[in-house]
Amino acid sequence: MNDASRLAIGQAQYSALLYPQGTFVDDVIVHRLGEDDYLLVINAGTREKDFNWVRDNTHQFNCAVENLSDDFTQIAIQGPKGVNVLQRLTDANMSAVKFYWVTRGTLCGLKNVLMGRTGYTAEDGFEIYIPSDEETSTRSGMRFWRREKSLARSHAAWVRATRCGSKANCRSTDTKSRT
């Protein structure tokens, strides 16, 4: 629906997947991570349908589409104090991240974590993408949850985790034909 190639690196955009007749498949968030590297965040509840739509509708482009849904856990911190909660857990300057932009930083000891100032509510908030591998989940993920839950209660923010991490990663291999 939107032209993601117009996004600056680090910028995100709310968009939609549409059927050929113009009806709605689902809403998505597109993140431009690099010159030819995009992260498409799809609905966790309909991820199979959404990923299949992306895969089936990118054949005309010179790009690779990977389903990374099981590789990441998405943690959302939403609410008026979300930036304060997250800032206490990361070395990245979260107040400098504009709405619908992403940054990377160390989060509770995990290096190079993608954190976007995006969300599914009308509140300000962040969506964080943590690798779902067993080591990360057991060592760092639980440490994050213990620290963050007590912070959220005291700072008027709320948190939601989605284990089925709803992502499809689209990497363009031809700068003339981007998805």
Side-chain angles (χ1 to χ4, degrees), residues 6-13 30-33 99-102:
R6 292 183 172 187
L7 296 174
I9 294 172
Q11 192 174 15
Q13 180 178 62
V30 180
H31 299 271
R32 187 169 190 185
L33 303 179
F99 192 58
Y100 271 78
W101 285 79
V102 297

Side-chain angles (χ1 to χ4, degrees), residues 51-85:
F51 177 77
N52 290 340
W53 185 94
V54 170
R55 184 198 59 221
D56 294 346
N57 286 277
T58 54
H59 295 297
Q60 71 271 27
F61 300 101
N62 186 14
C63 70
V65 177
E66 302 171 70
N67 186 345
L68 302 177
S69 295
D70 292 330
D71 296 345
F72 291 90
T73 296
Q74 180 193 74
I75 297 177
I77 299 178
Q78 305 288 303
K81 302 285 184 165
V83 67
N84 298 335
V85 170

